[in-house]
Amino acid sequence: MDLRQFLMCLSLCTAFALSKPTEKKDRVHHEPQLSDKVHNDAQSFDYDHDAFLGAEEAKTFDQLTPEESKERLGKIVSKIDGDKDGFVTVDELKDWIKFAQKRWIYEDVERQWKGHDLNEDGLVSWEEYKNATYGYVLDDPDPDDGFNYKQMMVRDERRFKMADKDGDLIATKEEFTAFLHPEEYDYMKDIVVQETMEDIDKNADGFIDLEEYIGDMYSHDGNADEPEWVKTEREQFVEFRDKNRDGKMDKEETKDWILPSDYDHAEAEARHLVYESDQNKDGRLTKEEIVDKYDLFVGSQATDFGEALVRHDEF
């Protein structure tokens, strides 16, 4: 999908949203749940499998024999052990779980990387990104679709410079990932807040007042009566969002709203997996300890299915 197609799609989505004024727009960036399954190891390890592998990858292990699952798990352990010291720590396991849960982000970056690394040097410069994304509209000061591409380009350039840690206007893949998905990086959070405030702050006074806050989520569209969730959001703004009670949200209050400090599900799961698998209780795992508890980390073909085959052969 090129930029023009994307913006047309965005326009249609906006129109659709406006046609349903009771629907709520959510700007809050929450850490996703590791699994939609219940975490009850007494019943099954399905939650742990989803957390460790990601839900889609976990399904592929369910088709493997126990031997195949152990072999593939051993290869994964080698990737998790970042410092190659032969042990997997809680931090290494937490990083892996976060990677597994956000694999879609890296897949998205890979797709976009191919379209923007025009000279195939393993880097994406701002010039490459600008030409690939805006090249065909830069010479058109008044595009037919009414979008202000130059304003969008200025905003993109500012974000690109923020992602580019060494300031050379050339992004590594990690910096390009931070550019495309800034909410995933601590050093990019200020730009997420700034862009959000610019979107909502209609009078450009540097703050978000109550009406701007509500107006971003809800369009009256001629309806006099607000739905209950809008009334709740008004109360939320007054009681919780506007911490200093001055009638508006500043940068820090906006940051607390859209980037809350969530419970770290990945760390909790990493500690759980280490606790359950750490046979010598030294606080870290060897490959052998992990593979010995393979059924906790990954699935395989059901044991009772294997037993049924044995019984069938005996019969």
Side-chain angles (χ1 to χ4, degrees):
M1 180 184 293
D2 63 23
L3 179 65
R4 190 179 295 271
Q5 290 173 318
F6 169 76
L7 290 172
M8 288 178 64
C9 178
L10 182 63
S11 177
L12 289 172
C13 290
T14 302
F16 180 74
L18 291 176
S19 70
K20 294 191 173 184
T22 58
E23 291 188 354
K24 178 182 177 182
K25 181 192 295 183
D26 190 5
R27 288 190 178 270
V28 181
H29 298 279
H30 288 293
E31 282 290 320
Q33 295 292 319
L34 302 183
S35 173
D36 59 4
K37 300 179 176 67
V38 176
H39 194 184
N40 185 348
D41 287 356
Q43 293 183 354
S44 79
F45 296 133
D46 289 346
Y47 178 97
D48 302 297
H49 300 166
D50 286 358
F52 182 71
L53 295 167
E56 291 304 313
E57 185 69 12
K59 293 176 184 177
T60 67
F61 274 77
D62 291 339
Q63 310 306 315
L64 303 179
T65 66
E67 290 73 22
E68 291 169 330
S69 285
K70 290 178 182 179
E71 182 181 356
R72 286 182 61 176
L73 176 58
K75 293 177 180 178
I76 291 174
V77 173
S78 298
K79 296 179 181 179
I80 300 174
D81 180 16
D83 57 10
K84 306 303 178 188
D85 65 349
F87 298 97
V88 171
T89 64
V90 169
D91 284 341
E92 287 174 329
L93 198 49
K94 179 182 72 173
D95 289 344
W96 168 261
I97 290 170
K98 288 189 173 183
F99 168 80
Q101 293 297 316
K102 296 173 180 177
R103 188 176 279 114
W104 68 271
I105 289 176
Y106 300 102
E107 291 171 352
D108 173 57
V109 171
E110 286 297 330
R111 283 193 298 270
Q112 298 211 43
W113 186 263
K114 294 174 183 176
H116 292 98
D117 181 14
L118 302 181
N119 62 4
E120 299 182 350
D121 65 347
L123 300 165
V124 172
S125 68
W126 167 247
E127 285 300 314
E128 284 179 309
Y129 180 82
K130 181 178 70 174
N131 291 333
T133 306
Y134 297 103
Y136 68 94
V137 297
L138 291 177
D139 297 327
D140 185 359
D142 187 24
D144 295 336
D145 53 25
F147 283 102
N148 189 333
Y149 292 102
K150 290 189 176 180
Q151 184 176 345
M152 290 174 60
M153 186 177 69
V154 168
R155 180 160 159 159
D156 272 355
E157 183 176 13
R158 182 182 63 191
R159 188 198 285 190
F160 193 97
K161 288 178 177 178
M162 179 72 76
D164 175 31
K165 286 185 171 182
D166 58 10
D168 61 359
L169 286 181
I170 299 175
T172 62
K173 190 166 288 187
E174 186 71 11
E175 290 170 334
F176 193 61
T177 305
F179 167 68
L180 293 176
H181 299 277
E183 69 283 353
E184 303 296 333
Y185 291 80
D186 286 340
Y187 80 99
M188 295 293 290
K189 287 184 177 179
D190 284 347
I191 202 75
V192 175
V193 174
Q194 184 176 357
E195 290 177 0
T196 302
M197 293 190 75
E198 288 172 352
D199 289 342
I200 303 175
D201 177 22
K202 300 305 181 185
N203 63 8
D205 67 348
F207 299 93
I208 298 174
D209 62 36
L210 176 57
E211 293 311 313
E212 289 170 333
Y213 174 79
I214 295 298
D216 181 60
M217 304 178 182
Y218 170 74
S219 172
H220 284 273
D221 200 28
N223 295 328
D225 296 328
E226 293 180 340
E228 281 302 315
W229 70 260
V230 176
K231 296 175 183 177
T232 300
E233 283 297 338
R234 288 185 180 277
E235 294 171 1
Q236 289 284 319
F237 182 95
V238 173
E239 295 297 324
F240 303 106
R241 309 277 186 247
D242 177 20
K243 294 183 176 5
N244 61 6
R245 301 292 194 271
D246 66 350
K248 54 195 177 185
M249 288 196 297
D250 58 24
K251 180 179 177 180
E252 286 304 312
E253 289 168 330
T254 302
K255 185 176 182 179
D256 289 343
W257 165 45
I258 66 172
L259 298 168
S261 299
D262 287 338
Y263 174 75
D264 196 331
H265 294 281
E267 181 172 356
E269 177 65 10
R271 292 187 180 281
H272 167 67
L273 293 175
V274 169
Y275 176 81
E276 294 294 336
S277 309
D278 185 14
Q279 296 174 15
N280 63 3
K281 302 304 176 186
D282 64 348
R284 55 188 184 175
L285 302 178
T286 63
K287 180 183 288 189
E288 290 72 21
E289 286 176 321
I290 292 175
V291 173
D292 281 349
K293 290 282 289 185
Y294 83 96
D295 56 337
L296 173 65
F297 289 85
V298 299
S300 67
Q301 294 171 353
T303 303
D304 57 354
F305 176 72
E307 291 173 348
L309 287 179
V310 173
R311 287 196 298 272
H312 176 78
D313 290 342
E314 289 175 345
F315 178 77

